[in-house]
Amino acid sequence: MLTVSEKEHLDAYGFLLLENLIPLDTTSELRDRSLALAEAEQETGQSHRYLANDSAQRVWNLIDKGEIFEDAIQHPKMLAAMAYLLGSDCTLSSFTVNVLYPGAPDAGLHIDYPLSALPTPRPSFPMVANSVWFLDDFTVENGATSCVPGSHRRLEALPQSGVAYADKVQVCGPRGSVLIVNGAIWHGSSENRTNEPRVGLLGFFCRSILKPQQAHLKLVSDAVISRATPTLKRLIGLDSQPNMNA
């Protein structure tokens, strides 16, 4: 479902913005649900906060936190991009809420794990990829994701902390868009200089031969598995478990 030009852009630059992919009413519902989950975890004292002054927050295991998330992660255009990068049997590594609160600093550039732990030269083909769901307009002011175009081809190098890369760009777009990011691209969130939280989702995928970030089959409820579509069952790992041959 990707066009030739979309595939070429993804190959050349390492990222692709799919503008206005999610209907605005669904985007609003996802945002409201995401902020409610974040607030609930803060109230229990078990929230995952990070960056300076705890100015960013993750909410994990979204597959088990509402059918709206189960449906979202199966979006056909987004999955087509993941299949193009990672193969048609790719699996979900994690699906999380990502909130940048006002004052969140620039997080710097990175490549995604496990690529960052591999010896060099790293593989020239994609191993992991992320989908960044814009539940707000992503702007220069509120911390839109930064990328260095073409850096997925720098198989020997890693981005250096504190270095200002002249070719870095911020990928801005309207809410309801989804940014596809090859995990080898140098990327990261930017500073939120506004007075409002910038809310997104991160649907992180990997090749089926890799260990995902989260053990979905141990985390999700039996109810989720029982109603899961064949696509969702594949994404949470039912098709890629180790065999039990004695």
Side-chain angles (χ1 to χ4, degrees), residues 16-244:
L16 172 68
L17 182 62
L18 301 173
E19 290 196 6
N20 302 307
L21 192 66
I22 311 302
L24 291 183
D25 56 346
T26 302
T27 298
S28 295
E29 188 176 353
L30 286 167
R31 187 183 192 278
D32 290 346
R33 178 65 176 151
S34 296
L35 286 174
L37 289 170
E39 183 177 356
E41 292 194 356
Q42 290 179 37
E43 290 174 353
T44 63
Q46 299 187 3
S47 61
H48 176 185
R49 304 289 289 268
Y50 65 104
L51 295 183
N53 301 315
D54 291 337
S55 53
Q57 183 177 359
R58 288 281 183 93
V59 178
W60 293 85
N61 190 27
L62 292 184
I63 295 299
D64 204 45
K65 293 179 177 173
E67 290 187 52
I68 188 172
F69 297 115
E70 297 170 40
D71 293 339
I73 204 61
Q74 299 178 74
H75 192 285
K77 181 83 171 185
M78 183 275 299
L79 286 183
M82 293 301 163
Y84 176 70
L85 289 172
L86 305 173
S88 60
D89 62 343
C90 65
T91 58
L92 182 66
S93 189
S94 62
F95 192 26
T96 61
V97 174
N98 178 238
V99 183
L100 288 186
Y101 293 105
D106 189 301
L109 298 171
H110 67 281
I111 64 172
D112 288 325
Y113 184 86
L115 297 175
S116 56
L118 292 179
T120 57
R122 291 179 294 275
S124 60
F125 54 88
M127 298 290 288
V128 294
N130 228 322
S131 58
V132 184
W133 299 57
F134 295 11
L135 303 188
D136 290 304
D137 294 338
F138 273 38
T139 68
V140 170
E141 291 76 21
N142 72 3
T145 304
S146 292
C147 295
V148 176
S151 54
H152 57 304
R153 297 197 181 97
R154 302 178 190 179
L155 305 181
E156 300 275 358
L158 287 172
Q160 301 300 304
S161 177
V163 174
Y165 292 95
D167 49 348
K168 183 178 78 171
V169 298
Q170 278 185 266
V171 185
C172 301
R175 66 189 185 100
S177 303
V178 176
L179 174 64
I180 307 298
V181 181
N182 182 326
I185 201 82
W186 299 4
H187 66 281
S189 61
S190 302
E191 180 183 3
N192 183 358
R193 301 193 296 269
T194 73
N195 295 320
E196 297 292 334
R198 192 222 71 187
V199 187
L201 303 178
L202 299 177
F204 187 43
F205 293 79
C206 61
R207 289 188 179 271
S208 61
I209 60 171
L210 296 180
K211 179 176 70 175
Q213 278 188 313
Q214 294 208 277
H216 304 292
L217 296 178
K218 294 182 178 180
L219 291 170
V220 302
S221 67
D222 291 340
V224 170
I225 294 176
S226 67
R227 66 174 175 257
T229 64
T231 295
L232 186 58
K233 288 178 179 178
R234 171 179 64 81
L235 292 176
I236 62 177
L238 279 169
D239 295 346
S240 54
Q241 299 181 82
N243 73 61
M244 297 295 288

Side-chain angles (χ1 to χ4, degrees), residues 3-15 84 153:
T3 66
V4 171
S5 63
E6 287 171 337
K7 292 177 181 178
E8 290 175 345
H9 190 283
L10 198 45
D11 291 342
Y13 295 97
F15 59 89
Y84 176 70
R153 297 197 181 97

